[in-house]
Amino acid sequence: MNVQIAPSILSSDFAALGAAIAAVERGGADLIHVDVMDGHFVPNLTIGPPVVRSLKRVARVPLDVHLMISDPDRFIDAFAAAGASMMSVHVEVLPHLHRTIQAIKALGVKAGVVLNPSTPVVALEQVAADVDFVLVMSVNPGFEGQTFIPRSEGKVAAVRSALDRAGNVSAPVEIDGGIDLGNAARVVAAGARILVAGSAIFHAPDPERATRELKAAAAAALTASAPR
Ligand code: DX5
Ligand code: ZN
């Protein structure tokens, strides 16, 4: 399994989203991470399906839509129609998580589940065989530019084990929050195979170059650790 880089456009200039996407694509971005926030589940408001539809027209790589909203079931159809290739939902808000995962897959979209920093890995156990990927939050969701919570590497490893135990060896673990050149190698060694990065890429003087450097650091860490 390769390591993929997913720049989060939350940290970019919203007046120039197309240019931001083009820059990170030139730098080798594998996915574009889109943070959807509703002001209820997290204390911030961001973007909805109309913006995703516009991003889809300009992006050459798949859109990875992270739903930080209280009632994702209401919006899954709209984000799929808007062009999401991957959609992740938080286990903390879903009493019928299995049903939601099946609903996302039925729309032809890859289904992921997200664990907040305080959510135990066991919350994933009963759906570990069903998911296409798992997103481990390494900050409390809501804002870019926060500090990586160090225990998150152990969480990545525990999620990797849970997926493997369920026979879901091809589902990657994604990590989101505070990822930069200083910790990329560590999270890859722990088993992360999709790295989200917002401020480390878009607050850098040259986002294209920052993407390329993060990707090179992740790839080097993968070579150094046992292949999986
Ligand atoms: C946080 C979002 C993240 C965030 C990442 O709620 O889910 O995707 O934009 O930004 P950085 O990399 O700056 O932590
Ligand atoms: Zn995110």
Side-chain angles (χ1 to χ4, degrees):
M1 207 187 290
N2 281 337
V3 184
Q4 296 190 302
I5 302 299
S8 165
I9 55 164
L10 182 62
S11 298
S12 72
D13 175 4
F14 275 26
L17 286 171
I21 289 175
V24 296
E25 285 181 343
R26 285 195 303 274
D30 301 282
L31 305 165
I32 300 296
H33 185 82
V34 182
D35 287 307
V36 175
M37 304 185 185
D38 66 352
H40 293 275
F41 178 58
V42 291
N44 199 1
L45 280 168
T46 56
I47 67 179
V51 176
V52 173
R53 194 174 309 120
S54 295
L55 299 178
K56 179 65 183 171
R57 282 206 298 271
V58 298
R60 292 160 54 186
V61 299
L63 300 180
D64 169 31
V65 176
H66 175 192
L67 297 179
M68 285 161 278
I69 61 181
S70 293
D71 193 357
D73 291 324
R74 281 177 58 200
F75 294 100
I76 283 165
D77 287 11
F79 282 107
S85 296
M86 299 164 64
M87 218 184 288
S88 56
V89 293
H90 276 259
V91 304
E92 297 86 7
V93 297
L94 286 164
H96 308 295
L97 182 59
H98 179 270
R99 179 191 291 159
T100 303
I101 291 165
Q102 302 308 326
I104 294 171
K105 287 172 143 183
L107 294 165
V109 176
K110 286 189 180 164
V113 297
V114 196
L115 305 177
N116 272 339
S118 65
T119 302
V121 175
V122 71
L124 162 76
E125 198 174 292
Q126 296 302 319
V127 295
D130 302 310
V131 294
D132 292 310
F133 64 103
V134 175
L135 172 48
V136 172
M137 288 308 302
S138 40
V139 299
N140 289 292
F143 303 94
E144 49 113 27
Q146 302 182 81
T147 303
F148 179 84
I149 299 171
R151 267 197 325 279
S152 309
E153 292 135 279
K155 184 109 170 248
V156 166
V159 168
R160 180 70 265 156
S161 299
L163 288 167
D164 290 347
R165 274 198 308 279
N168 201 351
V169 294
S170 61
V173 180
E174 179 173 23
I175 187 158
D176 183 8
I179 298 298
D180 59 21
L181 280 175
N183 54 31
R186 295 205 312 269
V187 299
V188 170
R193 292 295 177 268
I194 304 173
L195 272 50
V196 177
S199 49
I201 287 178
F202 288 109
H203 294 183
D206 182 347
E208 174 185 338
R209 182 173 167 188
T211 305
R212 195 174 291 119
E213 288 177 352
L214 192 61
K215 191 164 177 164
L222 186 61
T223 308
S225 66
R228 64 189 306 160

